[in-house]
Amino acid sequence: MKKRQVVILSRQPKAVTDRMLSNFKPALCRLSAFILIAFSLGCTHEPEPWGTLAQEHKPAGEATVAVPRPVRFDLPVPQLSDTQKPLFYAGRALAQQPWVKAPTATTQRDGLGPLFNARSCLACHLNGGRGEMPDKAGESLFTAFVRISVSGLDEHEGANPEPVYGTQIQNQSVSLSSQLGIPPQPGELQAEAHVSVRWLEEKFRYPDGHETVLRKPEIVIRDLSNGPLQSDTMMSLRNAPGMYGMGLLAAIPEQSLDALADPQDKNSDGISGRRNQVWDPVSQSIRAGRFGLKANRPDLPVIVAAAFAHDIGITNALFPHQPCTQAQPLCLKQPDGNDEEGTELSNNLLNMTVNFVRDSAVPASRLGEQHIAGRQVFYDAGCQQCHQPSFVTAGLPGAEYLGQQTIWPYTDLLLHDMGPGLADGRPDFLATGSEWRTAPLWGLGLQRKVTGGRLSLLHDGRARSVEEAVLWHGGEAAAARNYFIQLPMVQRRELEIFVEAL
Ligand code: HEC
Ligand code: HEC
């Protein structure tokens, strides 16, 4: 990241020099205030890198809501007027109610599939939050799916679809047998495959002797409908991330993100965040990427339209094709749910869903005095170098109320090389097989209340806790992880508790 170079003498070990200094500086300044060298360090006007508890209590500024009981992430930002709210709820209904197979009497809600991963957005984004990975081997994925591609590029320099199965494996079909989970009857459209994971466990031992168990998924694909995958197929398992606060992430000015990027690592801090450059089907041009786990979508309309088309099988103006390739004639033959606009979802309904995603509020943080120690560890470890704590938003056309907010998402929305442990080996536009977009941390701990106390963190849901997530950090984040593992257990816990309170 570009950061002010701070040149102070330090007794910190190599791993925590340079890039850490800027993090230590506030602490040094507080200390030095006592020994009257504050002046020589130039501390007098040094702002704290973090917000006050009161500021951070509202991670989305005025777009924050009190933590709802039961916890959910699909509530409207408080700024919506009484006339806007019904439209928000209409959008939520489109994201929540299951889509049905065509044809039906109500053309507004049909067109599911013919191949799909789930029947609605909120079936994966649970209460608007993250998804959940099954623990049991063989259990079908339900909030996650596997992206696939083969070597080479598509016509827009993006991932090259597998010639028969496309860009993701849809593990459901509209056929009755697929719904009943029985073998396909002759002439019925079969789901593309049964997809599950087998967890490979490994012990991790801290320098202080404590042990914990990590797990990583092995993708298990059986009952492929149209023969084997091409031999060079690359696979990437993705669990659903949260989809709240999206309008605020959309409202972060491009310049703020560009300013954080340091692709050549000019400041030699080991962290070289960069932006993806991706295809925008609306402007028919290449734009900076912002949404998706590899930042492969430029904005909310595109990611929502893509989700409709690929995850649920609902075609729309931006993605007008059914989720069938030319090599799947039976899929192509299924009835569609097209309306008079020639797609299954009108622009009007697409916009309503986009606005629901945009206007979903972020719940208040649970930060208090008891988290101050953990926050210090977060900054000392250098987590904030990628998990950029805060931004000031600019207005979004049509949602000016999301502008001028100081927000605390804890992400720079940039791609970082996270090392071989997290690599999926599947490039996506500029993102390499080991690069991922920094995950936002706001609201993370509340997810436990939605998923029965469990967490499924990181792109493939392998991490069951903040601790496990950090232990998987490598590549550009290796120094932060290495700092974490040498901490005493108490401080490791403090860090976890802080992150879960954001
Ligand atoms: C089958 C599960 C599933 C369904 C159904 C689904 N999603 Fe997702 N969603 C995901 C996964 C997995 C990702 C991450 C995908 C990636 O980046 O490759 C994601 C990513 C997103 C993101 C990006 C979040 C971010 O931080 O950038 C948004 C927004 C989103 N989905 C909205 C929707 C909407 C709206 C719908 C319904 C139209 C929907 N999703 C349907 C699983 C699902
Ligand atoms: C070099 C950049 C970088 C640094 C430094 C870094 N992270 Fe991350 N972090 C990421 C990226 C990228 C991801 C997403 C990785 C993935 O999905 O596989 C992530 C994911 C996470 C997640 C999972 C969130 C979720 O919703 O799945 C947690 C928790 C987390 N980081 C905490 C931390 C903590 C705590 C530190 C400091 C000890 C830290 N990170 C340091 C880049 C970084």
Side-chain angles (χ1 to χ4, degrees):
M1 325 248 88
K2 271 182 210 150
K3 198 172 272 178
R4 204 171 8 83
Q5 290 286 318
V6 190
V7 191
I8 332 174
L9 286 176
S10 162
R11 287 187 307 261
Q12 301 300 328
K14 182 65 194 142
V16 286
T17 49
D18 305 347
R19 68 188 191 82
M20 314 287 311
L21 270 175
S22 50
N23 316 322
F24 279 123
K25 199 174 175 197
L28 283 178
C29 288
R30 280 195 301 276
L31 191 71
S32 57
F34 291 106
I35 46 178
L36 297 175
I37 56 164
F39 186 69
S40 66
L41 274 173
C43 295
T44 30
H45 298 296
E46 192 64 37
E48 298 283 19
W50 47 71
T52 62
L53 289 177
Q55 281 173 320
E56 289 209 45
H57 189 62
K58 287 185 153 190
E62 295 310 312
T64 307
V65 287
V67 178
R69 303 280 178 217
V71 170
R72 51 196 300 171
F73 300 95
D74 57 357
L75 296 180
V77 299
Q79 295 106 314
L80 292 191
S81 67
D82 286 347
T83 49
Q84 288 168 315
K85 274 190 189 143
L87 286 170
F88 175 92
Y89 291 117
R92 185 167 81 184
L94 289 165
Q96 187 165 36
Q97 287 164 15
W99 289 78
V100 297
K101 177 181 170 178
T104 55
T106 61
T107 55
Q108 299 252 303
R109 297 283 329 177
D110 71 2
L112 175 71
L115 295 168
F116 62 98
N117 290 99
R119 292 166 176 272
S120 75
C121 313
L122 297 184
C124 293
H125 300 276
L126 304 171
N127 286 7
R130 293 163 172 79
E132 186 179 17
M133 292 304 285
D135 282 335
K136 275 203 234 93
E139 201 178 317
S140 183
L141 297 184
F142 60 101
T143 70
F145 55 76
V146 175
R147 288 208 188 287
I148 50 173
S149 51
V150 294
S151 46
L153 298 171
D154 75 354
E155 67 274 27
H156 306 302
E157 315 237 310
N160 198 18
E162 204 278 346
V164 176
Y165 294 94
T167 52
Q168 78 195 52
I169 297 184
Q170 279 111 0
N171 61 354
Q172 297 208 59
S173 117
V174 289
S175 72
L176 188 62
S177 56
S178 166
Q179 293 312 301
L180 295 175
I182 57 174
Q185 306 303 302
E188 265 196 324
L189 180 68
Q190 195 186 333
E192 286 186 323
H194 182 278
V195 187
S196 63
V197 296
R198 183 162 39 227
W199 296 107
L200 307 176
E201 297 201 332
E202 55 187 72
K203 230 179 233 160
F204 174 78
R205 200 180 160 87
Y206 284 96
D208 69 7
H210 279 101
E211 282 185 354
T212 187
V213 178
L214 299 176
R215 61 172 195 183
K216 76 171 178 241
E218 184 181 79
I219 302 170
V220 182
I221 296 180
R222 58 173 170 83
D223 305 337
L224 279 160
S225 59
N226 298 62
L229 293 161
Q230 191 169 301
S231 59
D232 60 345
T233 301
M234 298 169 273
M235 293 191 218
S236 181
L237 176 62
R238 311 278 173 99
N239 186 33
M243 60 171 198
Y244 48 92
M246 291 292 131
L248 296 146
L249 296 185
I252 297 173
E254 291 288 334
Q255 311 85 279
S256 306
L257 300 177
D258 292 341
L260 290 170
D262 182 15
Q264 310 304 328
D265 191 18
K266 290 217 177 77
N267 64 359
S268 312
D269 64 356
I271 304 219
S272 57
R274 62 176 185 150
R275 302 204 67 186
N276 206 345
Q277 296 294 331
V278 306
W279 177 249
D280 173 11
V282 178
S283 64
Q284 296 278 309
S285 63
I286 298 289
R287 286 174 56 199
R290 186 177 292 234
F291 294 101
L293 303 181
K294 285 196 192 254
N296 73 338
R297 300 294 183 192
D299 55 29
L300 289 178
V302 176
I303 195 158
V304 172
F308 266 120
H310 303 145
D311 305 351
I312 315 182
I314 300 294
T315 59
N316 52 73
L318 299 188
F319 295 88
H321 302 295
Q322 290 287 26
C324 321
T325 62
Q326 293 308 315
Q328 296 172 310
L330 193 54
C331 180
L332 289 166
K333 262 194 260 160
Q334 303 298 312
D336 61 43
N338 286 359
D339 58 20
E340 52 288 354
E341 289 176 31
T343 57
E344 292 168 336
L345 185 74
S346 68
N347 271 328
N348 185 24
L349 298 190
L350 172 61
N351 288 339
M352 247 188 237
T353 319
V354 171
N355 292 350
F356 154 68
V357 173
R358 180 193 69 192
D359 292 334
S360 290
V362 181
S365 84
R366 282 79 57 219
L367 288 176
E369 298 292 329
Q370 71 276 27
H371 298 109
I372 286 175
R375 178 174 68 182
Q376 186 67 50
V377 179
F378 186 88
Y379 284 85
D380 288 352
C383 310
Q384 81 289 3
Q385 294 179 104
C386 303
H387 295 282
Q388 172 69 29
S390 98
F391 294 92
V392 178
T393 59
L396 262 192
E400 283 69 20
Y401 45 86
L402 297 178
Q404 310 315 316
Q405 303 299 319
T406 301
I407 60 166
W408 301 85
Y410 286 86
T411 172
D412 56 11
L413 297 178
L414 298 177
L415 295 174
H416 295 278
D417 189 319
M418 296 297 282
L422 286 175
D424 64 353
R426 178 182 180 273
D428 202 342
F429 294 101
L430 294 190
T432 67
S434 51
E435 280 179 320
W436 297 100
R437 188 196 68 177
T438 308
L441 300 179
W442 56 9
L444 182 152
L446 286 175
Q447 182 68 35
R448 287 190 188 276
K449 299 256 178 1
V450 176
T451 23
R454 303 172 70 242
L455 287 176
S456 304
L457 302 176
L458 298 173
H459 64 271
D460 54 14
R462 68 174 75 181
R464 292 159 292 187
S465 62
V466 172
E467 174 191 28
E468 286 183 33
V470 174
L471 291 175
W472 282 109
H473 280 47
E476 294 173 42
R481 175 225 183 239
N482 293 342
Y483 181 89
F484 174 78
I485 65 170
Q486 54 74 42
L487 288 171
M489 165 109 106
V490 186
Q491 288 192 5
R492 299 201 299 263
R493 289 285 162 271
E494 282 170 347
L495 174 68
E496 283 202 90
I497 293 166
F498 166 71
V499 172
E500 288 209 23
L502 293 174

